[in-house]
Amino acid sequence: MRRDLSEKSVGRRSFLKVAGATAGGLIVGGVAGYLLNPGEKVWTTVTETTTKTVTGTATVSPTAVPWEQYFPRADRIMKDWELKWTGWDPTEYITTTDWVRSIDWGKVKSKYAGQTVTMACEGVDISAPQTFQPGFQGISGASLQLFGIPPETLHEKLMAEFTAGTGRYDTAELFGAWAQAYFPYMIDIRPFAQTYGVDLKDIHPAFRMMNTGPNGELLGVVEDADLHSFICRKNLLDKAGLKIPTTWDEVLEACEVLKPIGAKEGWYPWITYYSAKGFLTFWYWGTIAVQFRDVTYTRLDSWEPNFVGDEEGGVRALEIHKKLLEYSPPGSINNTYELGREQWLAGLGAMATSHQCWPRQSYDPELSKISPLNTDNIIEIRPYPKGTTNHAPENITTTYLGIPKTSKQQELAFLWSVYMNSQESSALMGCHGTGVESGFVSVISNPKVWKGQPAYKNIWETAWTAATETFVYIPEAYAIEEAAGAEIYRYLDGSEPSAKKALQNAEAEVRKILDKAGYLKTGIKPPPWTVEDWCKEHNEVNPKP
Amino acid sequence: MSKITLKNITHIYDKRVKAVDNLSMEVDDGKLVALLGPSGCGKTTLMRIIAGLIYPTSGDVYFDEDRFTDIEPERRNVAMVFQFPVVYATMSVYENLAFPLRAKKLGEEEIKRKVKEMAEFLELTPYLEMKAGKQNAAIKQMTSLGRAIIRDARCVLLDEPLTNIDPHSRLILREKILRYRAEKKQTIVYVTHDQSEALTLGDKIAVMNNGILLQYDTSRNVYERPASSFVAYFIGNPGMNLIECAFKKVGSKIVFESDGIKVSLPYELAKEVEKETSGKVVLGIRPEHIELSKRKVEEGMLGTCVLFEDIGITKVLNLQLNGTKVRAKNPEFEVEVGEKLYIRFPEERLRIFNSKGEIIL
Amino acid sequence: MRKLNPGLLMSIPTLLFLFFWFFFPFLYNIYASMHYWTLYNPNIQFIGAENFIDVLSSIDFRNSAFASFFYTIICFAVELPLGLGIAVLLSREFKGVGIARVIIAIPILMIPIGTSIMWKLLTMPKLGLLQYFSEVLGFGVIDFYGNFWLASLLILLIDAWQWTPFFAIVLLAALVSLPREPYEAAKVDGASPFMVFTKITLPSIQPVMVIVSILRVLDLLKLADPIFVVTKGGSGTETLSAYIWRVAFKPLDIGYGGAVAVLYWILMFVLANILVRRFKSVIQ
Ligand SMILES: Nc1ncnc2c1ncn2[C@@H]1O[C@H](COP(=O)(O)OP(=O)(O)O)[C@@H](O)[C@H]1O
Ligand SMILES: [Mg+2]
């Protein structure tokens, strides 16, 4: 059975079209739209175990096993237009390696048939696990229960469940930025990986570093691996006689040229991915600030926050951030991810920086007004604009599927997490435009996959230079980002006229939190914050193209 | 202070209930008219039409010579006291009394003086600062009266002001109304279903039934020459005896006969009845006008006392004359139940009505 | 030995319930507020009044207190008169008044966050219907999300759209249950419609008005949903509730959150007491 992953997004887009038409429809739609997304959903277990049986031409199956019908495969996930667009043979696997195809599921089934495993999912991404639920239930004989939790409360909810030790969830989606807060409550998945021949080293170090503990223990399998790129509508730049910018100075110059043209044609030079007060401000500024290598979130030897930068690169980044807001639609200072995405896909901007989702969704003719498939738009994906350095360090966010120590189904939970997040399934999710992106080296480096998710090419080429998007990986990361973001925001909204002062205030706030939490006394070194440093510390090879 | 003129007023509620039926009357400037009639006959409706709270289905209201039918109540300058005491519950008694004056935009000093005067007059001074809503019905009605008479309205409409308060307060309130009237010479329509009240207060009495104005005259005339058998029966306590009789001319007399009743009148006096083709009329005599005797009297009819009520100032006898029942009233007469009496209807006291109830004689 | 008062005995379950539902969390909150305590750090340290000092010296706390009062005042100042006006209109008898009374109740039935989202969709630059009209009429794109005054206007619109009917319906119920007689008396007494309204109608519904107003004001002080949707707390629109959520609830800082909550509680308690005391006589 094929499930439409972008159902919700499509619903929202067509809803927007309605918004232009009638206010009455809006009111009804507003209610309906909300009702579609209630607090917590529980899906009843699907007992029928068949996925789509392949019809037509003979099934070509590399490993002829009885449970092949449950393997993730393009024709079982993708939409028709997507299959046509990629030009793949829909009955062939697009990945070279996939651990789902090598696990002995017969043995698994005899052990776990009839048992139940539960999962806590972030509300908006519920379609991802749902897609793989029937397949997993078929291949393991177990049943899977999904609990959707609204994203804005997921973190608190999980922490409350974990600290209370309820054992309610056997596996949970964990946001990498806050991974350190979860560590005490999660198992190390490496032993299970060993047992089932799951190659965890295939996870790119850029997406592994946040979820690795001090002793190398791994929190979970990567489910969503996000990295920023620069995207633009080349056709608009061409028309204005502009080359695709590669530095921030060029970006701002291009904005200045595009501004009057956009004003006439009803679009803006820039779309702000997110900037709203708090951690989003910190992240957006951070993605720019890391292009100026002198900025270190903490001085690596002393925990001393350094947002201003030795050469004041942080100040420069904050000024760029504020300038970009002026080239964005009004109100972008408070943009959240959702609003920025609406604006980009509605064709309100010429350039933006974003994770992989925007580029890929730009192509979707049902989702996007700028799809190259049915308009004359040309979507270009490039490395992040440079600051003062030659390398453009990227900025990472990840989601992991972790297994709490309190789970009574740890092994089954592990099997579900690797089934749902295998190379093939993650590649398909990325190419399906769900916004859930693959973090495996074997996937993002695979040119065949690039046909379905063009952003991966750029990700593969730049991931090795990446730095963390968040503050260093300590449990207080969120509090720190929130506090620092609020201070930085004051420069953006004008209540603090000096960018430098705003950053210094942010440093002071962070110092206070670190002091309270005791870091300044312990003398332990902060963890590394670039992929290069991390690989050195863990004796790993940093995969480069 | 104005003359009130009502011209052919008809009011029909909900297209079904005819509450006032083609009613015309005039209330002269400075007079008190008592509007009398049984419950539900349309008195309140008529008052509300005069006040402007109801727009009549047809007909017109005039004050002096000006037509006011289309004028809003707030611009009529008519004062009204309602049957059920109405006060502005959230205001003090003082503010209640001041309300119509404030509506007239009088100065604060003048208001204060007038309210004080009125409170004094109505003995409301101790209550002035209290919430009107918290007072008993009597104080409320007194307040309501004060509100009506504190300003110089065109006329004052009092819709059964005493009906819903206790008997003691009723006396005080009535006294206040009388004193006010004596001092002010205001045009007043006083609605009541209490006839003694009507007869004692009114310069003129208007008797209504079923929305129709039956008689509008001085109290003496209403009592002595009721315009109809209804009025005859309605006024008086007990009302006039009404006896249906056949009549025939016997020599120079006309003889009226019913079961146990036989009365004759000189032909010259009663010849009007001959126009009555049905051969039947209604004979009327007030109980207090019936002559009683224990000894045989000339032309006396024999009856038996079946009920004797001593109501203090007077006594009421229920008499059976064969098939006819008659009530008599006499302050002195003592009689045992079952005793036989001789009864006489004095000629000059007899009233004769036709079969429609209209007075003939 | 003194015998135990049976009345007291009977109320023990209630008192216990109150204790666990109200006093216990409250005392716990006070305890938390005096400690460095986060959900992810097992070490809880006593730090005395430090959290309180931090909260009170925070610019954001002071700004959000201001914003809370600001929105409470403007929303209340718009919703009460508007609601009263609607109630007065709907208290008259005219054709279709029944349907009008039902329609006016619809916004209350909507989920608050849904209302906010609906308005956000209406005001999205270049995409929302309101923005479309604004451009057609030559006002250009309006910065409803990034400008304090315009964002406040939108927040006011959202709150008023949802909660004006609350005033309207409660006041309407009060109006239609008023006795008719004083109105007739007032007409006869020569009062103008304005005088009737101010001297009779308003005083008569004043107790109801005071009660809904107190409820609404206390509710407005907790305003958060439209803030999250419109600005995420940016551009000076962050209210106390939004602030608590951002700095305490979200980072799982029980101690700091406890301190803010205690201050917030004191504020609400004082305010509620002032209001109730001030209007006690009216309510009774
Ligand atoms: N608002 C009304 N709607 C319909 N019928 C009414 C209304 N008011 C009074 N009536 C009817 O009109 C008639 C006269 O009523 P009313 O004027 O109150 O009489 P009264 O004051 O003499 O007792 C009665 O039959 C009464 O039932
Ligand atoms: Mg009446």
Side-chain angles (χ1 to χ4, degrees):
Chain A
M1 212 175 100
R2 178 187 294 168
R3 282 168 201 267
D4 189 352
L5 288 182
S6 45
E7 221 163 44
K8 194 161 170 281
S9 322
V10 173
R12 281 198 344 149
R13 286 231 52 82
S14 33
F15 176 47
L16 267 181
K17 284 175 205 152
V18 177
T22 63
L26 251 176
I27 293 166
V28 176
V31 183
Y34 186 76
L35 293 179
L36 285 175
N37 186 16
E40 183 172 10
K41 296 182 211 155
V42 181
W43 277 269
T44 48
T45 315
V46 182
T47 42
E48 42 112 9
T49 50
T50 46
T51 54
K52 184 183 172 188
T53 44
V54 183
T55 51
T57 52
T59 310
V60 188
S61 163
T63 49
V65 286
W67 47 82
E68 194 282 333
Q69 56 169 323
Y70 301 120
F71 288 172
R73 204 173 64 184
D75 61 326
R76 292 166 184 157
I77 307 282
M78 311 282 281
K79 291 185 194 172
D80 290 340
W81 77 262
E82 289 170 336
L83 291 172
K84 219 187 293 161
W85 176 49
T86 56
W88 300 329
D89 174 348
T91 61
E92 265 181 12
Y93 303 120
I94 55 168
T95 52
T96 49
T97 165
D98 183 21
W99 52 55
V100 168
R101 301 198 286 264
S102 58
I103 290 172
D104 182 354
W105 290 101
K107 227 158 119 189
V108 171
K109 194 163 189 168
S110 64
K111 194 168 170 190
Y112 288 108
Q115 302 195 26
T116 302
V117 63
T118 60
M119 173 184 178
C121 331
E122 187 182 333
V124 288
D125 281 338
I126 199 76
S127 52
Q130 236 181 338
T131 306
F132 296 101
Q133 187 182 30
F136 179 70
Q137 293 185 147
I139 207 165
S140 68
S143 73
L144 169 70
Q145 249 187 350
L146 302 174
F147 296 90
I149 301 166
E152 62 272 17
T153 58
L154 180 69
H155 181 50
E156 299 90 285
K157 170 96 174 140
L158 289 180
M159 284 306 292
E161 296 274 355
F162 294 160
T163 47
T166 59
R168 188 166 176 198
Y169 307 126
D170 295 318
T171 173
E173 287 183 351
L174 309 175
F175 195 46
W178 307 326
Q180 296 298 319
Y182 300 125
F183 254 109
Y185 309 103
M186 298 289 139
I187 65 160
D188 178 8
I189 63 160
R190 286 177 305 172
F192 284 131
Q194 186 102 42
T195 312
Y196 285 95
V198 169
D199 176 20
L200 294 174
K201 290 262 155 76
D202 194 27
I203 305 173
H204 196 294
F207 303 124
R208 201 148 29 98
M209 55 192 282
M210 269 188 245
N211 309 288
T212 302
N215 305 314
E217 62 270 41
L218 196 67
L219 185 69
V221 196
V222 66
E223 184 183 323
D224 185 10
D226 286 322
L227 212 58
H228 276 255
S229 301
F230 170 82
I231 42 170
C232 64
R233 286 155 72 190
K234 187 163 175 293
N235 48 308
L236 295 181
L237 296 177
D238 284 348
K239 228 167 56 185
L242 292 165
K243 283 208 296 271
I244 295 174
T246 57
T247 66
W248 282 110
D249 286 334
E250 286 171 17
V251 167
L252 294 178
E253 281 161 26
C255 283
E256 195 56 36
V257 175
L258 291 172
K259 195 173 178 172
I261 306 172
K264 254 183 266 155
E265 298 180 1
W267 48 264
Y268 298 86
W270 190 260
I271 298 292
T272 304
Y273 194 64
Y274 40 51
S275 177
K277 182 177 179 177
F279 69 97
L280 290 176
T281 323
F282 185 80
W283 286 359
Y284 203 64
W285 164 79
T287 64
I288 305 168
V290 289
Q291 315 310 324
F292 300 85
R293 242 3 223 298
D294 67 325
V295 176
T296 50
Y297 294 153
T298 61
R299 284 176 202 283
L300 296 175
D301 46 354
S302 69
W303 290 105
E304 197 52 35
N306 178 21
F307 298 158
V308 171
D310 295 336
E311 312 290 330
E312 302 207 344
V315 177
R316 177 86 184 96
L318 188 49
E319 283 161 0
I320 293 168
H321 184 162
K322 188 167 184 171
K323 265 265 177 334
L324 292 173
L325 296 176
E326 288 165 21
Y327 294 118
S328 302
S332 291
I333 182 175
N334 295 325
N335 259 26
T336 54
Y337 165 80
E338 294 83 0
L339 187 58
R341 177 176 170 276
E342 288 301 341
Q343 292 172 337
W344 175 257
L345 294 179
L348 288 198
M351 303 182 286
T353 52
S354 80
H355 288 141
Q356 298 96 312
C357 45
W358 288 14
R360 169 57 187 73
Q361 287 168 1
S362 301
Y363 283 89
D364 190 330
E366 289 168 357
L367 216 56
S368 149
K369 276 193 187 155
I370 51 169
S371 168
L373 274 65
N374 58 0
T375 68
D376 54 7
N377 280 289
I378 304 163
I379 304 294
E380 284 286 339
I381 306 143
R382 293 294 160 90
Y384 225 68
K386 283 173 204 145
T388 49
T389 54
N390 293 330
H391 289 290
E394 296 291 345
N395 319 280
I396 321 159
T397 34
T398 57
T399 301
Y400 274 69
L401 211 48
I403 301 162
K405 285 175 181 160
T406 48
S407 164
K408 289 175 192 70
Q409 284 288 15
Q410 294 179 352
E411 193 173 32
L412 187 57
F414 172 80
L415 286 165
W416 158 242
S417 71
V418 294
Y419 176 88
M420 180 189 161
N421 300 304
S422 77
Q423 285 92 343
E424 184 78 19
S425 48
S426 73
L428 291 172
M429 291 302 275
C431 295
H432 191 31
T434 55
V436 177
E437 309 295 348
S438 182
F440 300 114
V441 174
S442 66
V443 173
I444 60 174
S445 64
N446 180 348
K448 193 172 174 184
V449 180
W450 296 350
K451 287 186 185 158
Q453 171 47 300
Y456 284 165
K457 180 174 184 287
N458 177 63
I459 301 303
W460 164 238
E461 284 165 358
T462 56
W464 68 277
T465 66
T468 73
E469 185 170 25
T470 60
F471 194 76
V472 286
Y473 310 136
I474 53 173
E476 288 76 12
Y478 181 80
I480 283 171
E481 290 167 359
E482 193 60 58
E487 292 303 326
I488 292 172
Y489 183 90
R490 283 188 230 291
Y491 172 69
L492 300 178
D493 80 357
S495 52
E496 169 54 62
S498 156
K500 187 173 176 180
K501 188 85 212 312
L503 290 167
Q504 283 168 343
N505 290 343
E507 286 171 356
E509 284 299 312
V510 172
R511 206 174 291 118
K512 210 155 83 186
I513 294 170
L514 290 173
D515 186 22
K516 255 200 206 171
Y519 289 96
L520 303 188
K521 292 183 206 103
T522 56
I524 38 163
K525 245 180 76 176
W529 65 292
T530 64
V531 178
E532 279 280 71
D533 291 345
W534 187 86
C535 285
K536 262 183 224 142
E537 196 173 301
H538 287 79
N539 286 323
E540 286 208 27
V541 185
N542 190 4
K544 295 173 189 176
Chain B
M1 281 155 243
S2 311
K3 181 176 94 178
I4 309 169
T5 308
L6 304 176
K7 281 194 184 157
N8 306 98
I9 301 274
T10 296
H11 189 75
I12 302 171
Y13 284 113
D14 309 327
K15 302 199 166 127
R16 284 184 291 111
V17 186
K18 201 181 238 184
V20 179
D21 190 356
N22 195 23
L23 185 145
S24 299
M25 72 187 270
E26 272 183 27
V27 181
D28 285 332
D29 192 356
K31 298 288 180 208
L32 189 150
V33 168
L35 182 59
L36 191 60
S39 197
C41 75
K43 306 181 296 289
T44 296
T45 306
L46 192 64
M47 290 303 101
R48 294 165 67 83
I49 287 171
I50 299 172
L53 293 170
I54 295 180
Y55 194 88
T57 310
S58 65
D60 283 300
V61 178
Y62 290 80
F63 294 119
D64 295 327
E65 304 314 318
D66 305 318
R67 183 173 172 276
F68 266 73
T69 319
D70 297 320
I71 307 277
E72 303 286 306
E74 50 270 41
R75 296 200 290 124
R76 287 195 184 192
N77 195 16
V78 167
M80 181 162 171
V81 173
F82 295 82
Q83 191 168 341
F84 294 92
V86 179
V87 290
Y88 307 126
T90 55
M91 299 179 205
S92 62
V93 170
Y94 180 98
E95 281 303 317
N96 265 268
L97 296 178
F99 190 84
L101 306 178
R102 292 200 197 286
K104 279 187 154 180
K105 303 207 162 59
L106 295 192
E108 205 55 42
E109 278 306 306
E110 195 179 353
I111 291 176
K112 206 166 173 178
R113 183 175 53 76
K114 288 199 169 191
V115 170
K116 261 180 103 174
E117 242 170 56
M118 185 52 69
E120 210 92 311
F121 171 62
L122 294 176
E123 297 168 38
L124 282 174
T125 312
Y127 305 99
L128 276 181
E129 294 314 317
M130 299 184 190
K131 271 241 164 88
K134 296 219 167 111
Q135 305 309 312
N136 65 27
I139 304 288
K140 279 183 181 167
Q141 194 65 310
M142 196 68 92
T143 305
S144 177
L145 176 70
R147 230 173 42 218
I149 63 181
I150 197 165
R151 65 192 155 122
D152 301 315
R154 256 177 237 287
C155 59
V156 174
L157 309 174
L158 305 172
D159 187 1
E160 303 198 33
L162 310 184
T163 307
N164 291 295
I165 58 178
D166 65 286
H168 174 69
S169 309
R170 212 176 278 174
L171 290 176
I172 302 173
L173 197 55
R174 177 152 63 186
E175 181 228 310
K176 299 295 177 196
I177 294 170
L178 286 173
R179 270 186 55 193
Y180 166 72
R181 187 199 161 210
E183 282 166 25
K184 288 279 172 162
K185 292 280 165 233
Q186 172 65 287
T187 313
I188 298 174
V189 181
Y190 185 99
V191 176
T192 177
H193 60 243
D194 180 339
Q195 45 173 300
S196 63
E197 220 169 79
L199 294 171
T200 50
L201 285 172
D203 294 313
K204 273 175 126 183
I205 311 278
V207 185
M208 268 180 90
N209 193 29
N210 290 331
I212 297 167
L213 180 64
L214 295 174
Q215 186 166 13
Y216 180 43
D217 213 332
T218 60
S219 41
R220 186 180 185 87
N221 281 350
V222 169
Y223 178 76
E224 298 204 333
R225 289 198 52 82
S228 69
S229 53
F230 176 83
V231 178
Y233 182 75
F234 188 71
I235 303 286
N237 188 15
M240 190 180 269
N241 291 300
L242 296 169
I243 307 152
E244 201 181 45
C245 295
F247 62 89
K248 59 176 184 270
K249 191 174 167 225
V250 180
S252 63
K253 299 211 162 195
I254 293 180
V255 179
F256 299 86
E257 251 183 310
S258 175
D259 190 9
I261 303 282
K262 188 174 177 187
V263 183
S264 54
L265 287 174
Y267 177 74
E268 279 308 306
L269 191 75
K271 66 180 177 205
E272 279 288 297
V273 300
E274 278 187 335
K275 287 184 188 151
E276 205 50 35
T277 48
S278 64
K280 288 200 165 172
V281 291
V282 174
L283 215 60
I285 177 109
R286 292 212 171 272
E288 51 272 40
H289 295 151
I290 292 178
E291 291 176 7
L292 301 168
S293 170
K294 291 190 180 180
R295 278 168 291 135
K296 190 171 164 47
V297 291
E298 198 189 336
E299 286 195 324
M301 296 167 283
L302 196 62
T304 314
C305 176
V306 291
L307 188 65
F308 180 84
E309 296 170 80
D310 187 341
I311 52 175
I313 47 164
T314 189
K315 281 121 193 162
V316 177
L317 295 80
N318 285 23
L319 305 164
Q320 192 77 40
L321 293 90
N322 274 355
T324 308
K325 266 194 185 125
V326 170
R327 278 196 278 197
K329 201 159 93 177
N330 193 307
E332 282 123 32
F333 207 80
E334 295 278 351
V335 69
E336 297 287 315
V337 172
E339 242 180 288
K340 294 219 184 306
L341 295 173
Y342 289 93
I343 295 145
R344 212 180 74 89
F345 297 166
E347 206 170 86
E348 69 282 7
R349 296 293 193 183
L350 273 175
R351 298 288 175 264
I352 298 167
F353 306 93
N354 66 18
S355 54
K356 282 187 227 143
E358 295 156 356
I359 192 155
I360 306 173
L361 195 75
Chain C
M1 207 179 91
R2 252 177 59 197
K3 260 181 81 183
L4 207 59
N5 182 346
L8 189 69
L9 211 65
M10 304 264 277
S11 58
I12 281 176
T14 317
L15 290 175
L16 280 177
F17 181 82
L18 269 179
F19 179 78
F20 282 104
W21 271 100
F22 179 70
F23 293 109
F24 180 68
F26 181 65
L27 295 176
Y28 197 70
N29 224 333
I30 293 178
Y31 174 80
S33 69
M34 294 187 294
H35 290 77
Y36 173 72
W37 184 357
T38 60
L39 260 191
Y40 39 76
N41 194 331
N43 302 318
I44 301 171
Q45 295 164 45
F46 179 79
I47 52 169
E50 203 179 307
N51 280 327
F52 287 95
I53 294 166
D54 277 0
V55 173
L56 290 171
S57 60
S58 149
I59 302 173
D60 280 352
F61 175 74
R62 274 175 278 151
N63 285 352
S64 66
F66 166 78
S68 275
F69 281 109
F70 177 66
Y71 291 128
T72 300
I73 290 166
I74 61 167
C75 291
F76 179 73
V78 167
E79 289 165 22
L80 175 65
L82 200 61
L84 182 60
I86 293 171
V88 169
L89 273 182
L90 293 183
S91 67
R92 308 208 173 139
E93 289 299 328
F94 57 88
K95 229 182 149 151
V97 69
I99 293 171
R101 284 177 187 172
V102 172
I103 288 175
I104 198 73
I106 288 177
I108 302 177
L109 304 177
M110 280 186 53
I111 299 150
I113 199 91
T115 308
S116 302
I117 289 169
M118 180 191 94
W119 278 93
K120 181 129 189 182
L121 290 172
L122 281 168
T123 50
M124 279 166 70
K126 297 271 177 198
L127 305 175
L129 190 66
L130 274 182
Q131 295 283 15
Y132 171 78
F133 285 132
S134 166
E135 285 200 71
V136 165
L137 295 173
F139 295 111
V141 177
I142 301 171
D143 186 3
F144 277 122
Y145 309 152
N147 174 293
F148 171 75
W149 296 106
L150 290 166
S152 298
L153 177 68
L154 181 57
I155 289 161
L156 167 66
L157 274 173
I158 293 172
D159 200 75
W161 189 85
Q162 180 142 37
W163 295 111
T164 299
F166 174 66
F167 280 107
I169 283 175
V170 177
L171 295 179
L172 175 63
L175 283 175
V176 296
S177 62
L178 290 181
R180 271 186 44 198
E181 292 79 11
Y183 286 90
E184 299 190 321
K187 272 188 197 170
V188 173
D189 282 346
S192 64
F194 177 76
M195 192 171 164
V196 169
F197 185 72
T198 52
K199 293 244 166 179
I200 296 177
T201 306
L202 277 186
S204 307
I205 60 171
Q206 195 188 11
V208 177
M209 219 154 73
V210 166
I211 289 169
V212 284
S213 296
I214 290 177
L215 286 178
R216 190 70 202 113
V217 162
L218 295 182
D219 203 36
L220 271 167
L221 285 169
K222 293 185 268 182
L223 187 73
D225 285 336
I227 314 291
F228 284 135
V229 173
V230 173
T231 61
K232 278 272 166 192
S235 303
T237 61
E238 192 165 61
T239 55
L240 274 175
S241 292
Y243 172 73
I244 293 176
W245 187 82
R246 182 170 65 78
V247 301
F249 195 47
K250 203 68 192 158
L252 307 173
D253 194 334
I254 311 288
Y256 193 81
V260 183
V262 167
L263 289 172
Y264 189 61
W265 189 88
I266 291 171
L267 189 81
M268 294 292 269
F269 182 81
V270 169
L271 205 84
N273 262 284
I274 291 172
L275 288 176
V276 169
R277 221 163 264 185
R278 165 72 184 74
F279 292 108
K280 202 170 176 177
S281 59
V282 179
I283 299 167
Q284 288 164 353

